[in-house]
Amino acid sequence: MLYIKGTAQWAKVFEPDTKFVPEGQYSIKVVVPAEQAAEACEQLDSMAQAKLAEVVKEQPKLKAVLSTTPAYQVEYDDDGNDTGNVVFNVKLKAVITRRDGTKATQKPLVVDAKRTPMDGSTLIGNGSTVKVAIDTYPYMMPATKTVGVSLRMKGVQVTDLVPYGASAA
């Protein structure tokens, strides 16, 4: 389990977003200063490299065509300048289909600073300080010949809430 603490953007953690995934998907972007994110980035990069080595060992012919996809992005401002932040895009499917064909629903646990469960009556706005618990899943995508690490949300702790829709004034 990996924990990432930073500033929330576009938190959809109470109701799944069905715009691109019909069954619904929970998501949150966590913005972290690069210095604070270095350890997590290093961990994720080493997981991706380990998966790459595993795939190459199993299928040596793919060595020349495989590439890795980072589990995070460097943040840029509107002018294309590096802001010094790293963005982790964490998701969780609301409905999963098991190998036997049965479906199961899942949702992240969302708590406040005192670890009291939040019910969604106050939505998490951009700028809230959060700590996100993440399960990591290394993958190899045959269609694109890429190897990477998927970040799946397990829980969110909101340590400093900026309510969604609150005036920035």
Side-chain angles (χ1 to χ4, degrees), residues 2 4 28-32 37-49 51 67-75 85-91 132 134-139 146-153:
L2 181 66
I4 296 177
I28 188 170
K29 289 185 179 193
V30 185
V31 181
V32 183
E39 188 179 328
C41 293
E42 198 173 294
Q43 251 185 310
L44 293 168
D45 289 343
S46 68
M47 283 180 195
Q49 289 302 322
K51 181 66 175 179
S67 64
T68 58
T69 302
Y72 53 88
Q73 292 83 36
V74 174
E75 183 184 56
N85 293 327
V86 175
V87 180
F88 296 91
N89 194 7
V90 187
K91 299 177 181 179
V132 182
I134 299 168
D135 272 345
T136 54
Y137 291 91
Y139 66 86
T146 57
V147 176
V149 179
S150 172
L151 305 178
R152 296 190 190 160
M153 180 182 347

